[in-house]
Amino acid sequence: MDGILHSLDILMFAAACICLMAGFPVAFTLAGVALIFALISTFFGGSVTLGAIPSRIFGTMVNETLIAVPLFIFMGVMLERSKVAEELLETMGRLFGRMPGGLGISVSIVGALLAASTGIVGATVVTMGLLSLPTMLRNGYSPRVACGSIAASGTLGQIIPPSIVLVFLADQLSNAYQTAQREMGNWSPEPFSVGDLFAGALLPGLSLVGLYIAYQLFVAFTQPHKSPPMPEREGDAPSLSQILHALIPPVALIIAVLGSILMGIATPTEAASVGAVGSILLAGYRLNEQRAWPIYVAVVSLVGVLTLTSFMDLRVARNVIPTKDMIGIVLAAIFCAGFTFGILVSLYRVLAKKVLVPVMESTTQITCMVFVILIGATFFSLIFRDLGGEELVHDILNGIPGGAIGAIVAVMAVMFVLGFFLDFLEIVFVVVPLVAPVLLQLEMPNGQPMDPAWLGVMMAVNLQTSFLTPPFGFALFYLRGVAPPTVKTSDIYLGIIPFVLIQVLMLVILWFFPVLATWLPEVIYG
């Protein structure tokens, strides 16, 4: 009987993997397997703390960091419906199209911009597949090069902040880091936040874009028939005003959201709310550019309020308010009224154009799916720990030859293989909480403990491959759904191979140059 109890943790993990690979719903599989093995353990005399589950679920649902998730999802879906991606793709395609490999380069650049403003892989891949793939094929691009470029660029939303994956990963790593520090005797460690991981992922994400573009240029010059330049008949190069018209709105939103996080002005949740409001204004502007003055009023009013808060004390709960501050408070009230007016006009436009309701429905569906999976994974992790799984993982990782190097290589290899069969959410919610506390206690060859920002970026780049690796790569499914019938499924699968290798190369670069992930967080947060 003791032998059965000692093996329940391994059997539980194996049963969960088999059920997930068989196609059962993720959330119910994780929670159901956990409940079944909890009952088995109780039957054989084991003890599991089912009473702790409600408090853990409550703690998850009131987690302030995770409130950013539905706001980022709303921002991404709203921007996708407001045709920002279409204008970006058209403008960048006309700008770079006449150089060898130019359409592939434009897809990579637009993928990076959409990643930093929407962060939703499905929407990005579908949009670029509908708009760019026919153009690339019509201009003589190899179907493999075209499909690989679009699928890989669409997954940049997983590594370039603000990314939903990074939010969840940072939340899990924060808990693991606190646990690891307590195990090492440090009861007051410096907190690890979403902002740390956002800062750590920025340079590697941009480096990955650079590697994509370098590959596009390599193919263009070594095999020019696979990515030829666009002929003159495809349209004139865009003017400077057209380029600015396409670039300024998403870039401004990126700076507002990401800049406010990295500069410490706002928390990720506050920045996500800024992004959601900004996406509403941008959608209202795109839907009726002929009457854009209410949106201009809102933007000017917002700048005015921010300027006033920098030079004046606008608190009204004071016994004595100097005349200068009173004038500032009155001006701030006027600016707030102007900003509210612009928001209401934008909301009316997106509602009248039947955009708001589908955006809200899509946001609700995605958010519910993610949080139900999170609850199921929380249930699974608690029962797995009670069955001795944490000690098992600790013993396995500590027993791998090579110390920290062997352990991290083994974990990266396992996550890469799991990415062929599991979604990134299952890996983040199930695997990361089990291995991260152990990894963060290991000593690196330089004598320092493992940096959580570096570990998080390594995991994020690794998880990015799960969208491209068959048989369950979601980016492949999205692209297959919108690709013309002339494109074979084999073209899509073979086209992503070079880009998966590029992502593995990025992991190798991060291994030998961890400063890519640790330098910016150190500069910003010290």
Side-chain angles (χ1 to χ4, degrees):
M1 189 172 295
D2 290 339
I4 295 176
L5 287 174
H6 288 154
S7 62
L8 282 180
D9 48 2
I10 300 176
L11 294 174
M12 177 181 170
F13 190 82
C17 291
I18 292 172
C19 292
L20 289 172
M21 293 176 187
F24 290 101
V26 176
F28 304 116
T29 294
L30 294 175
V33 168
L35 182 58
I36 290 172
F37 275 83
L39 294 176
I40 294 174
S41 174
T42 303
F43 178 78
F44 284 103
S47 61
V48 290
T49 53
L50 291 175
I53 291 174
S55 61
R56 284 292 299 272
I57 293 176
F58 179 77
T60 298
M61 301 311 294
V62 298
N63 188 325
E64 184 177 337
T65 301
L66 297 182
I67 297 175
V69 172
L71 294 172
F72 278 134
I73 294 173
F74 177 88
M75 179 182 75
V77 177
M78 180 64 78
L79 288 177
E80 186 261 329
R81 299 297 178 92
S82 62
K83 312 299 181 184
V84 173
E86 294 184 15
E87 186 178 15
L88 273 174
L89 282 168
E90 180 185 355
T91 304
M92 293 297 104
R94 290 167 57 194
L95 180 62
F96 294 101
R98 285 185 175 78
M99 63 181 292
L103 288 177
I105 293 172
S106 67
V107 165
S108 298
I109 293 174
V110 172
L113 290 171
L114 293 179
S117 55
T118 64
I120 299 179
V121 171
T124 304
V125 172
V126 169
T127 302
M128 293 198 297
L130 287 171
L131 300 176
S132 293
L133 185 55
T135 302
M136 298 174 81
L137 296 176
R138 188 173 63 248
N139 284 279
Y141 268 66
S142 164
R144 295 181 183 180
V145 173
C147 292
S149 301
I150 291 171
S153 299
T155 63
L156 289 171
Q158 301 302 293
I159 185 63
I160 296 180
S163 161
I164 298 171
V165 174
L166 295 180
V167 174
F168 284 123
L169 196 54
D171 181 65
Q172 298 295 327
L173 285 174
S174 176
N175 297 330
Y177 181 66
Q178 298 291 326
T179 301
Q181 290 295 304
R182 287 195 296 268
E183 291 291 332
M184 296 165 65
N186 182 8
W187 293 92
S188 57
E190 292 290 331
F192 178 76
S193 67
V194 177
D196 292 310
L197 191 54
F198 276 8
L202 185 58
L203 291 181
L206 296 178
S207 300
L208 194 58
V209 177
L211 291 176
Y212 284 176
I213 294 175
Y215 171 73
Q216 300 283 356
L217 292 173
F218 174 78
V219 172
F221 286 104
T222 58
Q223 298 173 296
H225 62 283
K226 290 187 176 181
S227 54
M230 289 174 60
E232 294 290 334
R233 68 177 185 273
E234 289 293 330
D236 299 328
S239 64
L240 179 61
S241 61
Q242 290 174 324
I243 296 173
L244 294 177
H245 185 270
L247 283 177
I248 287 179
V251 170
L253 190 61
I254 292 168
I255 293 174
V257 175
L258 190 56
S260 60
I261 296 174
L262 297 182
M263 295 175 63
I265 299 174
T267 65
T269 302
E270 293 166 345
S273 65
V274 171
V277 172
S279 66
I280 294 173
L281 289 174
L282 184 53
Y285 169 75
R286 291 294 196 208
L287 293 174
N288 192 351
E289 294 189 24
Q290 289 74 28
R291 300 187 63 184
W293 63 268
I295 285 76
Y296 294 145
V297 169
V299 173
V300 171
S301 299
L302 179 60
V303 173
V305 169
L306 293 176
T307 303
L308 288 174
T309 56
S310 302
F311 297 100
M312 295 182 181
D313 186 352
L314 302 182
R315 293 176 300 159
V316 296
R318 289 182 287 170
N319 294 326
V320 178
I321 302 178
T323 303
K324 182 186 75 170
D325 289 346
M326 181 59 71
I327 294 173
I329 291 172
V330 173
L331 288 175
I334 296 173
F335 285 142
C336 288
F339 181 74
T340 303
F341 172 71
I343 288 290
L344 292 176
V345 170
S346 295
L347 284 172
Y348 173 76
R349 289 178 181 177
V350 295
L351 181 62
K353 295 291 185 179
K354 295 181 172 56
V355 172
L356 183 61
V357 173
V359 169
M360 296 293 292
E361 290 176 347
S362 181
T363 301
T364 303
Q365 290 171 356
I366 297 173
T367 303
C368 289
M369 177 197 72
V370 169
F371 276 87
V372 168
I373 293 175
L374 177 56
I375 291 173
T378 302
F379 197 168
F380 183 89
S381 298
L382 279 174
I383 302 301
F384 187 74
R385 286 192 178 98
D386 285 345
L387 296 178
E390 192 169 20
E391 291 80 7
L392 174 66
V393 172
H394 188 278
D395 293 340
I396 291 175
L397 291 180
N398 278 293
I400 293 176
I405 295 177
I408 190 66
V409 169
V411 169
M412 290 293 113
V414 169
M415 291 179 69
F416 180 78
V417 173
L418 288 177
F420 281 79
F421 308 102
L422 303 180
D423 185 24
F424 73 94
L425 287 174
E426 294 103 84
I427 299 174
V428 169
F429 293 148
V430 176
V431 178
V432 174
L434 297 177
V435 301
V438 182
L439 292 177
L440 292 173
Q441 295 179 54
L442 299 178
E443 190 176 274
M444 297 296 284
N446 60 5
Q448 298 295 322
M450 194 173 297
D451 189 289
W454 176 77
L455 179 61
V457 174
M458 290 282 286
M459 288 180 168
V461 176
N462 199 339
L463 290 172
Q464 189 183 357
T465 63
S466 67
F467 279 88
L468 296 178
T469 48
F472 300 122
F474 284 101
L476 309 180
F477 295 154
Y478 295 139
L479 188 57
R480 176 68 276 177
V482 298
T486 55
V487 176
K488 300 177 182 178
T489 302
S490 60
D491 291 330
I492 299 176
Y493 278 50
L494 292 173
I496 56 90
I497 292 176
F499 293 94
V500 173
L501 294 176
I502 289 173
Q503 292 170 350
V504 174
L505 174 62
M506 190 70 235
L507 284 175
V508 175
I509 293 173
L510 282 168
W511 179 270
F512 287 103
F513 301 97
V515 69
L516 270 176
T518 59
W519 176 76
L520 193 57
E522 184 69 25
V523 169
I524 296 175
Y525 302 109

